[in-house]
Amino acid sequence: MLVFIIRRLLQSALVVAVMSVLVFVGIYLIGDPLAILASPEASEIDREEIARALGLDRPLWEQYMTFIGSAFVGEFGKSFVFGQPAMGLILERMPATLELAITATLMAFFIGVPLGVYAGLRHESAGAQAIMAGSILGFSLPNFWVGLMLIMIFAVQLGWMPASGRGPTTEVFGLQLSIFSAKGWHHILLPAITLALSKCALIIRLARATAREVMLMDYVKFARAKGLSERRVIGVHILKNIMVPVATVTGLELGALIAFAVITETIFSWPGMGKLLIDSITQLDRPVIVAYLIVVVFMLVAINLVVDILYSVLDPRVRLGGAQ
Amino acid sequence: MSQTGTTQTAAPAAAAVSETPLLRIWREFAESKLALFGLGLFIVSLLAALLAPWIVPQNPYDLATLDIMDSRMPPGSLSGDNMVFLLGSDGQGRDMLSAMLYGLRISLFVGVVAVGLALAIGAVAGIAAAYIGGRTDTVIMRIVDIQLSFPAILVALILLAVLGNGVDKVIIALVTVQWAYFARTARGAALVERNKEYVEAARCLGLKRPRILLRHLLPNCMPSLIVIGTVDIARSITLEATLSFLGLGVPVTEPSLGMLIANGFDYLLSGVYWISMFPGIALTIVIVAINLVGDRLRDVLNPRLKR
Amino acid sequence: MTTAPSVPTLRVENLQTHFPTRDGIIRAVDGVSFEVNAGEILGLVGESGSGKSITGFSILGLLDPPGHVAGGSVLFKGEDIVAAAPQRLRQLRGARIAMIFQDPMMTLNPVLRVDTQMIEAVRAHNKVSESAARDRAIETLRAVGIAAPEERLKSYPHQFSGGMRQRVAIAIALLNKPDLIIADEPTTALDVTIQGQILYEMRKLCRETGTALIWITHDLSVVAGLADRVMVMYAGRIVETGSVAEVLEQPRHPYTIGLIGSVPGGTARGHKLFQIPGMAPPPLNLPPGCRFKNRCGFADAACDTMPEMAELSPAHWARCHHPRPAQLAANLAEGGVA
């Protein structure tokens, strides 16, 4: 187990290193930040001044080495726009994004699994057909458009929910979170639903397909032959087997949700790191973009690791590290 | 139990012996009313997009015909020169229906071309990886793995931030994030096919490698690639719309459906709903149609699901 | 059979099990009747598709939909369980009637520990504490020959070998000391030495506890060593039944004769193994009359009507218009039917 985790961490470090080069070179190619940062009237000398202050006058490889050197001590440069450490800016906004993504994942999971299992077990019933039709719609609806329509209906027409922002937060374990107050829920509900919708549809389909497969297994028939109640057959024997792929996929999709939060945050002006990324891209704020990508890569790696461990907990046949 | 299962299929199979594979696929496909509905919807959308220049009431790109006085008219109102805005007009006084049909053209074009290219590149890479094996295989599949472990939306976003706006650039971004799916699928299918007798036979006949790849392996990998490709057109269209919505996709001069939705966002809070709503509905209809077709194709073409 | 009690443990009458399909109804079991008494072992023999396994699942009400019992009755100690409420059937399953499945690799739930799977089976039918249920599980595992049962209980199924898993499945079947066990080819997937051990132990357990046992198999040699009576099924119907000694040594139905002739070791050394010509009729398209007639060397016009079961000698029945003479049958098995 320990060996497995260490090996995974080493692999991840390699991925992060490769990514940092790609990202750095890639971002270097994006326009000239000076064109945006310096006012059009600025003289050539002023421009050089700014370039020197930001380290933009040195060659690419030198900039990269400086970047790597400072990255190792947790320093990712200062935002061109805010003049603050880029990593600090990202980390400051990370709780908001994580809160949104995790809330959406949990919503998708707890709504998707029961519906999917029902649709699988009673796959010929009218209810199951309706659920499946709904799920096709669910993953066909363009995510950002759903957000707009929710704003239009619940914020503009009905006035039930706020259209944007995060609202008041409560401090829990040093983190500012919305979900511990009614007002906070008011703000997080629409963006979370928007983000959860397509994942919910995915989970429904996966849970249904797995349920249909599992319910035909001999061990389910054997459980019935033992005279177990239908509740125990479904609730333990079938559900525990469905959980193996469903929980794994849900966990892996959390990474995709964090990435997709970029759009939801933009629509709902949710003050997370995704919105910061879009703002930084339009303003060519290179250090912030790089810091964002590094953070996301780290998160993806961490999620993968946790999901692998979770998988081995759910399925006893899987033992980490390969050796039995 | 299993015996009753296998013998019961024997009778209808015998009756269908004269059927060509394509006909069989069509017959099974047509058994689902929902899939036929989806196909019909898709064909209608396709025709509407293709014939847009001839059926729209107004050329949305011709700035001369636009009148700023007509801007943000609700659905059903009359324009200054007595044209009916069936679905309302946008911020520049453009007829929404016309703008949507032209937008649909761009969305479909981007989706189909991007998937076509991604499929071609992915199929070649995947089949080559499977057939050549060894280091080629390792290198290609490692790239695919890394690519797939990173959320597509982020890769496309960063890429477009580097490349800038433009239909061609969106297509490049979409191909970059999608080819890996096809590569992995093609490799999987080709690995299964590679060990079958007909490939062995082709090799014994002394056929050249590219010929074996193209004439023998590719056709047998096609069913799985087509299934993924169909669903991927929907994915591409959504992705393009999303990128355009964020202002990182198609240019303002060639607004796709996603761009139209984004344009309406500014007016949404003041109750002008139609500029965002109708293009979104059109987008949803097209994507639902493609997904319905793709879903059914998966059932029909996937031998694993055959009962 | 003279010692049989007045009410048999299980009495099946004219059982009909149907599987509706798009192309018509499959009559997987078509008018099967038989009895099993306490302590008796009945071998149910047939090739795959003959309906023997479906018969077993029909008794317990465990058919996969759309399969269902379309007619007839299943009387367990006089109580009709086809008509019984699902709740009543659940009470009987695992408690009074237990089942053992064919593939030990598939019968145990892979994500649950063995103790969970055994304790739940005890507690589904008895109001006992978890530790009492655990004690019962340990005791039963020991009875089926599993060493160190306390520790093995904490394992997951994949940590057992195939033979061990089948022993666990048998132990689960025995947990509540049932009156009837239906075993669906439980040794087919195991190798021969383990098969021998399990057969021996099952026979012993039934004799000791008075449990009735229906052993479903395609393997006549298993039946020969295990069962008291044998019943041969073909295309959903019983074609011959009687004591093991009578049916195996003096078979009367041409199908049984062919079946015996095709068993390795059943014929004298040096003789060619016999193979029944042709194939079983498609279940959707059963011929009228005798279902074996297209493969039978003795078939004539009479066989176009369905023969009835007839008692050819005491307690030995066959469904054939032209039963072979008892003394000839053993020779025919060598020479072939056609």
Side-chain angles (χ1 to χ4, degrees), chain A residues 215-230 232 236-238 240-241 244 313-319 324, chain C residues 57 60 62 64 90 93-95 97 99-101 103 106-112 116-118 120-121 124-125 156 158 169 172:
Chain A
M215 67 189 275
L216 295 176
M217 299 305 255
D218 266 5
Y219 55 73
V220 172
K221 218 179 205 188
F222 189 64
R224 291 211 168 93
K226 289 197 289 191
L228 301 182
S229 64
E230 202 55 12
R232 184 156 177 100
V236 176
H237 285 260
I238 294 183
K240 265 207 128 179
N241 279 284
V244 176
V313 170
L314 286 173
D315 192 338
R317 285 165 295 186
V318 180
R319 281 287 165 258
Q324 286 259 336
Chain C
F57 286 120
L60 269 179
L62 284 176
D64 288 319
R90 189 188 74 68
R93 278 184 206 144
I97 310 175
M99 190 150 183
I100 305 167
F101 288 28
D103 187 352
M106 304 297 291
T107 22
L108 298 176
N109 195 318
V111 301
L112 297 176
T116 316
Q117 302 192 47
M118 293 192 81
E120 66 177 4
H125 302 289
Y156 284 97
H158 71 273
I172 289 176

Side-chain angles (χ1 to χ4, degrees), chain A residues 180-228:
Chain A
F180 291 98
S181 70
K183 261 256 159 54
W185 269 106
H186 241 72
H187 279 87
I188 203 174
L189 202 56
L190 291 188
I193 290 174
T194 309
L195 202 51
L197 190 66
S198 62
K199 291 305 162 219
C200 188
L202 176 85
I203 291 173
I204 287 177
R205 294 169 70 82
L206 182 66
R208 171 181 176 269
T210 321
R212 287 193 66 177
E213 219 167 86
V214 169
M215 67 189 275
L216 295 176
M217 299 305 255
D218 266 5
Y219 55 73
V220 172
K221 218 179 205 188
F222 189 64
R224 291 211 168 93
K226 289 197 289 191
L228 301 182

Side-chain angles (χ1 to χ4, degrees), chain A residues 246-257 300 303-305 307-308:
Chain A
V246 172
T248 309
V249 169
T250 307
L252 290 176
E253 288 294 326
L254 177 62
L257 271 192
L300 290 178
I303 289 169
N304 271 322
L305 191 66
V307 167
D308 275 342

Side-chain angles (χ1 to χ4, degrees), chain A residues 145 148-149, chain B residues 260-262 264-265 268 273-280:
Chain A
W145 183 68
L148 294 192
M149 291 301 108
Chain B
L260 291 175
I261 296 172
F265 188 23
L268 198 65
Y273 64 89
W274 56 89
I275 308 181
S276 274
M277 192 166 90
F278 292 127

Side-chain angles (χ1 to χ4, degrees), chain A residues 19 54 68-69 101 114 122 162 237 288 292 317:
Chain A
M19 281 303 298
L54 298 173
I68 283 295
R122 303 261 174 282
H237 285 260
V288 178
Y292 173 90
R317 285 165 295 186

